[in-house]
Amino acid sequence: NAGVTQTPKFQVLKTGQSMTLQCAQDMNHNSMYWYRQDPGMGLRLIYYSASEGTTDKGEVPNGYNVSRLNKREFSLRLESAAPSQTSVYFCASTDRGLSTEAFFGQGTRLTVV
Amino acid sequence: RKEVEQDPGPFNVPEGATVAFNCTYSNSASQSFFWYRQDCRKEPKLLMSVYSSGNEDGRFTAQLNRASQYISLLIRDSKLSDSATYLCVVNLSHLSGGYNKLIFGAGTRLAVHP
């Protein structure tokens, strides 16, 4: 049981380049999330998808786009990377139910130079 | 104002100490509450849910005060292995049609030393 799989684990981009972070879960969860984590800032919600077919902005959506491709997959795209997007990105998923546990991918360490 | 605010830390304590972390949340309609643990350069993992009546899991006790919008985590008899960052989490499912929407605090770092 893989849980939540994120790719890639590490990435270095030049300013202005684009890339897509991939996330897939095999737990049949309804909701999926993208967070970024910066030192001292905790996890900040970028976008989330409450259910298949819906996406909503979180706290820090600027510079990002998302696609909920199907129930399993939720991708995050940086159209024109900026140094301020250097961060660790985590994908997560939850089932319905108020006490459900969130499962995370291992994270993507992105550096924009 | 942030949705979830925590003690900034870090907390440096000796083995065997009791340590308490506090957390406040701004949205009174928040539905459910959690503490997650994050080890250095790893993904967060659920430590425990927090219930209105308070709940205990071994050396860990969580409390919720809905009137004050305050959550706490108490760790008794600290172990070296407790060293980690502890994240307070609030579920704003009422804002997403009943689906979960988890908001994390910035985390409090705990360092337990011999």
Side-chain angles (χ1 to χ4, degrees):
Chain A
N1 188 350
V4 179
T5 303
Q6 264 182 259
T7 55
K9 287 190 170 56
F10 300 93
Q11 184 71 50
V12 178
L13 289 179
K14 293 183 179 178
T15 297
Q17 285 185 316
S18 61
M19 78 162 295
T20 300
L21 280 64
Q22 307 286 354
C23 177
Q25 51 91 9
D26 62 3
M27 296 170 284
N28 201 37
H29 283 171
N30 288 295
S31 302
M32 297 186 74
Y33 312 78
W34 278 104
Y35 294 91
R36 62 177 286 174
Q37 187 171 36
D38 303 295
M41 300 290 288
L43 278 81
R44 292 185 291 169
L45 185 62
I46 305 171
Y47 272 92
Y48 71 105
S49 173
S51 60
E52 186 179 358
T54 69
T55 60
D56 287 285
K57 294 179 180 179
E59 181 185 356
V60 288
N62 291 343
Y64 305 95
N65 286 302
V66 291
S67 295
R68 183 76 183 264
L69 303 169
N70 47 55
K71 195 171 186 180
R72 289 187 66 248
E73 298 173 286
F74 188 39
S75 63
L76 178 72
R77 183 159 179 84
L78 287 69
E79 290 291 351
S80 178
S84 60
Q85 294 178 304
T86 293
S87 189
V88 180
Y89 292 84
F90 286 102
C91 176
S93 71
T94 63
D95 204 350
R96 271 199 106 155
L98 294 177
S99 294
T100 186
E101 177 178 356
F103 291 86
F104 284 81
Q106 291 184 307
T108 298
R109 284 170 173 74
L110 174 67
T111 301
V112 183
V113 297
Chain B
R1 184 185 171 190
K2 290 186 177 181
E3 292 276 5
V4 181
E5 300 209 55
Q6 293 186 240
D7 285 346
F11 285 60
N12 295 296
V13 302
E15 277 186 288
T18 295
V19 61
F21 302 140
N22 303 316
C23 170
T24 57
Y25 59 96
S26 61
N27 196 318
S28 61
S30 299
Q31 298 286 299
S32 53
F33 310 88
F34 309 89
W35 284 100
Y36 277 69
R37 171 190 168 130
Q38 186 176 25
D39 293 302
C40 188
R41 301 179 75 78
K42 297 283 192 180
E43 71 275 21
K45 293 186 178 177
L46 179 66
L47 178 67
M48 59 196 301
S49 299
V50 186
Y51 302 116
S52 296
S53 55
N55 50 298
E56 190 174 303
D57 182 1
R59 298 179 293 107
F60 299 84
T61 300
Q63 297 278 354
L64 168 64
N65 184 323
R66 282 190 183 271
S68 302
Q69 295 176 206
Y70 171 91
I71 305 162
S72 66
L73 176 68
L74 184 75
I75 305 175
R76 292 182 300 279
D77 189 22
S78 298
K79 311 291 185 191
L80 294 175
S81 58
D82 293 334
S83 297
T85 297
Y86 291 83
L87 302 163
C88 178
V89 184
V90 169
N91 190 355
L92 302 180
S93 59
H94 60 292
L95 297 179
S96 61
Y99 291 94
N100 293 310
K101 180 180 179 183
L102 300 181
I103 303 299
F104 285 73
T108 301
R109 192 158 61 87
L110 172 65
V112 182
H113 57 81

